[in-house]
Amino acid sequence: NPSEYPVSAPIPKIGGRLQTSGEAQYTGDIPVPFGTLHAAFVLSTQSNADIASVDTSNAMAIPGVISWVSATDIPGTNVTAQSLPIFADKSVTYYGQPIGLIIATDEESARLAAKNVNVTYTNIKNGIFTIQDAIAASSFYPSVVPPVTKGDADQSLKDSDTVITDTFSVGGQYHFHLETHSCLAIPGENNDILLKAATQDTTSMQNLVANAIGVPYNKITVEVKRCGGGYGGKLANSITIGAASAVAAKKLGLPIRIVLDIDTNILMFGRRPEYYVEYSVGLKAGMINALKLKAYINAGQSENDSSLTGLVFVNMVGTVYNIPNFSASMVVCKTNVPANTSVRGPGWTPANFVTEHIVEHAASVLGEPVADVKLRNFFTKGQTTPDGTKLVYWNMDTIFNQLRTTSDYDNRLTEINQYNAQNKWTKRGISIVPVRFGVGWAGAHYNSVVCIYGDGSVIVTHGGVEIGQGIDTKVAQSAAYGLGIPIDLITVERHSSLSAPNVSGTGGSITSALCSKATLDATSTLNTRLAPVKSLLGPTATWKQIVAKALASGISLQATGTVAPGPGPNSPLWTYQSYCCGVQEVFVDILTGEHQLLRTDILFDAGISLNPAVDIGQIEGAFTMGLGLSLTEEINYESNGMPYQHNTWEYKPLTAYDITLDFRVALLKDAPNPVGILSSKCVGEPPLALGSAPVFAMQQAIASYRSTSNKDVKNYFMNFPATPANTWTSTQVNPVELTF
């Protein structure tokens, strides 16, 4: 919208050049004060045992080693954001649990010494690692995620023409942010500690660190300029790093720096939990008449985050489909793995994966084109979802039909069927996947402080953290728009708990918009103060003249905007709904299970985008992260609870060769969001759920092969992730077919 420029203009991301040139400074790059010591964690090597002793003598003998820090050195409460100990004291409950810190004069010595600490365990028990382990042992948390129901699912299943009963699972996923967890703790005067931390949640870090070292909150200041990726991993997880470094700094009275290596980063912390779903779906006259679903989530050693994630799941499963008789429940599993936590699109993404799997299964049993089955089961405008959301602004059908046309889906499907009929060992497939994502603002709290200086330049500090999503760019655009000045005059400074106290953590795809709104509110206050000056000086006055006159008149040129939204107008949970759709074409080698993504088409409703360039980048990135979840990022455990995949050698995030060859992303035009900030919608997480599309296209391709060898096609599917090994296994190639 040109009338709102620089808002809605495709401005390159602020800091993008610094990032690509390597000049951007992350927490681990900050020059350290004189006398700074370095810390490395000692981690448990058992998942369910008592600690008999900790022998640090060999470690302390290594040159440069200064001290050992453990639970006995914590003057306050030994509790993290996940209600787990900062340092394990008497027992360990997962492999990789922190037991203490080795402090040394340099990072290399600290890490070497940490490996030489000898921990002896007693009462070693077998661990519970997977959902199937938890089900077998009845290891569940007592808290209950409220089920979501509509109609009578049990009776409607009995009344259905066809009932499909099956199971489905979605694997876990590490955050795998390129910047590992890091923190620099600098002790000051009067028990003050400054934490320069890679965190998405300065408020929680400030509060819990203060509790750990036994001081008031105002003694702890947390600062962060940017994070090298977050995805939720630098919310609760980051607080352990801040607390450990602060405890060490308090004990020794010197600055302490922690930068984790990738193995420690993975072993210490939880990630996206696995899901296992048992479902029964009833079909009647070609429609989905009923769905009864029971899901299990692997929470690990704390239910804090997974219960909330499970709540999102049961409220979002079903997504875009009007299922009149519906029941979704969740069981939270207690296992001996780190406390699993939020990862980009927590709850929403697996809910979409599961829903699309069920509808694909239904279409297969019906023997009808899957796109047609999906479309005719959509909600219509004004209908109400099982969680009580009234779809007042529904446009999913428009997006679906438009993308079906612009991607040439139907003609390509015909061509693919012809290709598959002529080729036995290589197959192609195509899928179309819709996504609904509920966006909730209620309970969030953010601020923005706008300061105008005497030369007309402006500094903004806000309550969000730049984690790569472009929040600083959108805030700068909003400040320039609100004040009516060029964006070149705006600088967005580092986030600090001093200027942004008591704010919510950055996440949920909402922070960019809400901090932009807080910035607009602050500029509105400044404009009100400046109005008499502008009137006095007349329309020819320059911005510098207006500012100079305001200062001479004693007008304050600093203002704060605050946002704390309540519930949305049409839902008990969500402020508005985000919609998008993707079409994916794939090539599959039946003999190896390898695949190639040939073409991706995405149509995304961003409302009136605050910045189309940033938003399209976010769509591409989220979709690609979803591909890793559905295709390559597999997590398994050894008998002692150590994950096989704990570094870049075994864990397989996507690489450049895995990306689709032809990538087409478009934003829906003329679709303002009536309840969005400047008519915008969020973009950071919803596209991740489109990452399921390749698996459904691969299933179609493999089903083509299976149909020629008398194998079941109607009930054929793959669990996620569909790795090459899992894909090849699912083909069930008979060696007899390989003879000539």
Side-chain angles (χ1 to χ4, degrees):
N1 185 352
S3 68
E4 294 179 348
Y5 280 5
V7 170
S8 78
I11 295 171
K13 189 172 75 171
I14 292 174
R17 182 189 63 79
L18 295 176
Q19 289 176 299
T20 54
S21 65
E23 298 172 80
Q25 187 182 77
Y26 294 92
T27 299
D29 302 321
I30 296 172
V32 297
F34 177 78
T36 296
L37 300 175
H38 300 260
F41 281 94
V42 173
L43 306 181
S44 66
T45 56
Q46 293 293 332
S47 60
N48 190 4
D50 294 332
I51 298 174
S53 65
V54 178
D55 181 1
T56 62
S57 56
N58 290 337
M60 297 301 296
I62 293 175
V65 174
I66 301 296
S67 183
W68 164 250
V69 177
S70 64
T72 58
D73 297 305
I74 299 175
T77 55
N78 185 16
V79 178
T80 69
Q82 295 279 23
S83 302
L84 293 170
I86 300 166
F87 298 124
D89 187 11
K90 297 179 180 179
S91 63
V92 294
T93 56
Y94 63 90
Y95 190 105
Q97 187 168 7
I99 296 172
L101 283 177
I102 285 289
I103 311 298
T105 55
D106 62 276
E107 185 175 84
E108 184 177 353
S109 296
R111 291 179 177 177
L112 175 63
K115 294 177 181 178
N116 280 274
V117 173
N118 183 27
V119 181
T120 304
Y121 303 92
T122 60
N123 196 25
I124 299 173
K125 304 183 186 75
N126 293 330
I128 297 170
F129 309 124
T130 68
I131 291 175
Q132 298 304 325
D133 292 343
I135 292 173
S138 297
S139 181
F140 309 124
Y141 285 99
S143 65
V144 177
V145 175
V148 176
T149 61
K150 181 180 181 181
D152 188 338
D154 287 324
Q155 184 59 48
S156 297
L157 285 170
K158 295 176 183 177
D159 296 339
S160 297
D161 299 333
T162 303
V163 175
I164 307 167
T165 298
D166 218 320
T167 63
F168 179 63
S169 62
V170 178
Q173 183 179 37
Y174 292 121
H175 300 89
F176 217 80
H177 29 70
L178 288 180
E179 176 198 35
T180 59
H181 285 288
S182 51
C183 184
L184 174 62
I186 305 173
E189 301 174 351
N190 300 317
N191 291 318
D192 294 350
I193 292 185
L194 170 62
L195 298 174
K196 296 178 180 288
T199 181
Q200 295 174 240
D201 191 350
T202 55
T203 298
S204 295
M205 180 173 285
Q206 177 191 40
N207 298 352
L208 287 169
V209 168
N211 292 340
I213 63 173
V215 299
Y217 293 170
N218 65 358
K219 295 296 182 180
I220 306 298
T221 299
V222 185
E223 290 184 356
V224 53
K225 174 61 178 175
R226 61 174 64 84
C227 288
Y231 318 120
K234 291 172 182 170
L235 290 166
N237 288 350
S238 68
I239 294 166
T240 300
I241 306 300
S245 61
V247 167
K250 175 78 171 178
K251 175 181 179 178
L252 299 173
L254 290 169
I256 301 294
R257 180 175 182 261
I258 298 176
V259 178
L260 300 188
D261 59 69
I262 191 66
D263 290 71
T264 304
N265 203 87
I266 288 177
L267 291 172
M268 269 184 66
F269 294 116
R271 30 71 184 172
R272 189 191 302 277
E274 299 94 343
Y275 291 78
Y276 172 75
V277 176
E278 301 166 344
Y279 65 90
S280 293
V281 58
L283 308 176
K284 191 170 186 177
M287 302 292 288
I288 300 175
N289 179 53
L291 174 62
K292 185 174 183 179
L293 178 150
K294 183 178 183 180
Y296 298 81
I297 184 172
N298 186 348
Q301 273 296 294
S302 172
E303 62 179 323
N304 288 16
D305 284 359
S306 290
S307 290
L308 179 58
T309 299
L311 181 68
V312 172
F313 178 94
V314 296
N315 281 279
M316 282 307 303
V317 74
T319 61
V320 301
Y321 302 104
N322 181 25
I323 304 173
N325 302 285
F326 178 94
S327 173
S329 61
M330 173 66 69
V331 178
V332 182
C333 299
K334 183 176 183 179
T335 58
N336 295 107
V337 301
N340 284 326
T341 186
S342 298
V343 182
R344 199 174 191 172
W348 289 275
T349 296
N352 275 277
F353 281 16
V354 168
T355 302
E356 288 303 303
H357 162 79
I358 290 171
V359 177
E360 293 266 345
H361 195 172
S364 179
V365 170
L366 288 170
E368 298 184 29
V370 66
D372 296 340
V373 173
K374 290 183 177 185
L375 185 59
R376 71 166 175 256
N377 280 281
F378 276 2
F379 285 106
T380 57
K381 186 175 182 179
Q383 289 183 323
T384 301
T385 67
D387 69 6
T389 298
K390 189 172 183 180
L391 300 173
V392 176
Y393 305 112
W394 173 263
N395 64 358
M396 188 68 248
D397 49 354
T398 300
I399 295 170
F400 189 91
N401 286 324
Q402 183 173 322
L403 184 64
R404 188 173 181 175
T405 299
T406 58
S407 68
D408 200 24
Y409 171 87
D410 292 292
N411 287 333
R412 289 164 65 194
L413 177 60
T414 299
E415 293 173 0
I416 286 168
N417 289 337
Q418 292 172 351
Y419 176 90
N420 289 342
Q422 298 167 4
N423 295 273
K424 181 172 183 178
W425 299 118
T426 62
K427 299 289 184 179
R428 288 160 55 193
I430 191 170
S431 66
I432 183 166
V433 170
V435 167
R436 177 173 72 90
F437 188 101
V439 181
W441 289 351
H445 177 215
Y446 299 104
N447 79 334
S448 181
V449 180
V450 180
C451 304
I452 305 173
Y453 290 90
D455 63 351
S457 62
V458 176
I459 275 187
V460 183
T461 60
H462 58 83
V465 176
E466 176 63 66
I467 55 176
Q469 82 280 44
I471 188 173
D472 287 352
T473 306
K474 292 182 177 181
V475 165
Q477 289 175 275
S478 299
Y481 168 71
L483 294 172
I485 61 175
I487 195 171
D488 293 345
L489 293 176
I490 310 293
T491 295
V492 180
E493 255 302 335
R494 70 181 60 247
H495 175 108
S496 171
S497 58
L498 289 176
S499 58
N502 308 314
V503 295
S504 303
T506 296
S509 296
I510 65 175
T511 314
S512 293
L514 291 181
C515 286
S516 295
K517 176 63 167 63
T519 302
L520 291 169
D521 289 350
T523 61
S524 178
T525 299
L526 291 169
N527 286 334
T528 299
R529 296 176 190 168
L530 292 173
V533 177
K534 292 179 179 179
S535 178
L536 177 66
L537 296 180
T540 60
T542 65
W543 172 246
K544 283 188 176 182
Q545 291 171 335
I546 293 168
V547 170
K549 182 63 176 177
L551 285 173
S553 303
I555 295 173
S556 172
L557 296 183
Q558 175 178 303
T560 299
T562 301
V563 292
N570 303 300
S571 171
L573 294 174
W574 317 116
T575 305
Y576 64 85
Q577 303 294 307
S578 172
Y579 303 108
C580 58
C581 190
V583 170
Q584 180 66 58
E585 183 177 351
V586 302
F587 170 93
V588 179
D589 186 327
I590 299 298
L591 294 178
T592 65
E594 295 285 350
H595 68 270
Q596 176 68 64
L597 307 186
L598 300 178
R599 174 176 162 182
T600 303
D601 295 78
I602 295 174
L603 181 59
F604 191 92
D605 178 8
I608 303 300
S609 169
L610 293 176
N611 185 320
V614 168
D615 286 352
I616 287 176
Q618 284 292 292
I619 292 165
E620 293 170 338
F623 172 74
T624 301
M625 190 169 181
L627 296 179
L629 175 60
S630 69
L631 293 172
T632 64
E633 299 180 44
E634 190 171 33
I635 302 172
N636 309 108
Y637 297 96
E638 295 189 29
S639 59
N640 63 354
M642 183 177 77
Y644 285 106
Q645 302 87 354
H646 57 85
N647 52 41
T648 53
W649 186 253
E650 296 295 343
Y651 191 65
K652 305 297 182 185
L654 261 66
T655 68
Y657 287 104
D658 300 307
I659 307 301
T660 185
L661 299 179
D662 185 348
F663 206 166
R664 309 183 188 195
V665 178
L667 302 180
L668 185 67
K669 295 181 179 179
D670 303 319
N673 178 12
V675 295
I677 307 305
L678 294 178
S679 302
S680 68
K681 284 189 176 183
C682 75
V683 299
E685 294 174 298
L688 196 140
L690 296 173
S692 65
V695 180
F696 301 129
M698 289 162 63
Q699 287 176 183
Q700 181 192 92
I702 295 168
S704 173
Y705 159 72
R706 288 169 62 96
S707 67
T708 65
S709 53
N710 299 317
K711 299 181 180 70
D712 179 30
V713 172
K714 288 190 174 183
N715 295 293
Y716 160 73
F717 65 89
M718 290 187 286
N719 291 310
F720 289 22
T723 62
N726 295 339
T727 300
W728 179 83
T729 301
S730 79
T731 64
Q732 295 183 329
V733 172
N734 189 331
V736 173
E737 298 178 74
L738 304 180
T739 58
F740 294 93

